[in-house]
Amino acid sequence: MWHVKKYDELELDELEEILSLRQDTFILEQESFFRDIDGRDQDALHVFKKEDSTIKAYCRMEDEDDHTYISRVIVNPAYRGQGFGREIFRYGTELAKERHPGKIVRITAMSYLLDFYKSFDYEPISEEYDIAGHNHIDMELTP
């Protein structure tokens, strides 16, 4: 089942699971030492697929003045290889377009996933740059 919640609508168990998934994947697994808890969660929408009381995939969505920003896209490691990455990103993109029609949807992508995001019609808008030891590129989907 899909869930779209504001920060104050999250159950404490959901918040803990989301932060744990983000820490385990971005900080520990990818060895990307950055401040994941960045003060932006309170103003974001938290989008996730939850089945059998387990979050299988997650992303965060923020509404900016001229664009909508999708970030923290993650698949629970126990459920990788089952298409959840495509599902969460497709759902997040469609939700962004539905809630903010006419706005650009922007992401910061790890460079090795460029073709994955291009398959959703996102296009690069920057050169590659480093974040915490990994190459990234900014991409956007124009309406």
Side-chain angles (χ1 to χ4, degrees):
M1 173 184 260
W2 288 106
H3 297 269
V4 179
K5 296 186 176 186
K6 295 178 182 178
Y7 183 80
D8 60 357
E9 296 171 331
L10 290 168
E11 296 173 17
L12 290 178
D13 289 345
E14 290 171 335
L15 178 60
E16 181 181 25
E17 188 174 359
I18 288 165
L19 294 176
S20 179
L21 281 171
R22 287 174 17 184
Q23 176 180 291
D24 288 349
T25 300
F26 301 132
I27 309 300
L28 299 174
E29 180 184 324
Q30 295 177 357
E31 297 181 354
S32 296
F33 300 106
F34 69 100
R35 188 175 180 88
D36 177 54
I37 300 173
D38 57 4
R40 296 170 66 169
D41 287 311
Q42 292 88 341
D43 295 324
L45 283 180
H46 300 273
V47 181
F48 54 98
K49 185 166 197 168
K50 187 175 181 180
E51 296 174 350
D52 303 321
S53 72
T54 300
I55 294 175
K56 304 226 171 153
Y58 166 87
C59 71
R60 178 172 83 176
M61 185 182 312
E62 299 168 83
D63 183 34
E64 304 287 338
D65 289 336
D66 64 340
H67 67 279
T68 300
Y69 186 62
I70 297 174
S71 65
R72 304 300 200 262
V73 179
I74 191 169
V75 174
N76 184 320
Y79 299 96
R80 289 182 185 158
Q82 299 177 36
F84 288 112
R86 284 201 160 287
E87 271 190 63
I88 187 65
F89 197 70
R90 182 178 299 113
Y91 188 80
T93 296
E94 291 305 315
L95 186 64
K97 292 186 325 189
E98 176 186 309
R99 287 187 175 232
H100 309 287
K103 274 195 176 183
I104 292 169
V105 182
R106 192 167 291 158
I107 62 172
T108 298
M110 291 185 85
S111 297
Y112 80 92
L113 292 169
L114 184 67
D115 289 337
F116 172 80
Y117 292 115
K118 278 185 167 184
S119 74
F120 293 93
D121 297 325
Y122 283 74
E123 292 297 326
I125 59 166
S126 74
E127 298 295 322
E128 281 188 324
Y129 58 93
D130 180 84
I131 298 176
H134 300 281
N135 288 334
H136 287 74
I137 190 164
D138 294 329
M139 300 181 78
E140 67 182 23
L141 176 67
T142 53

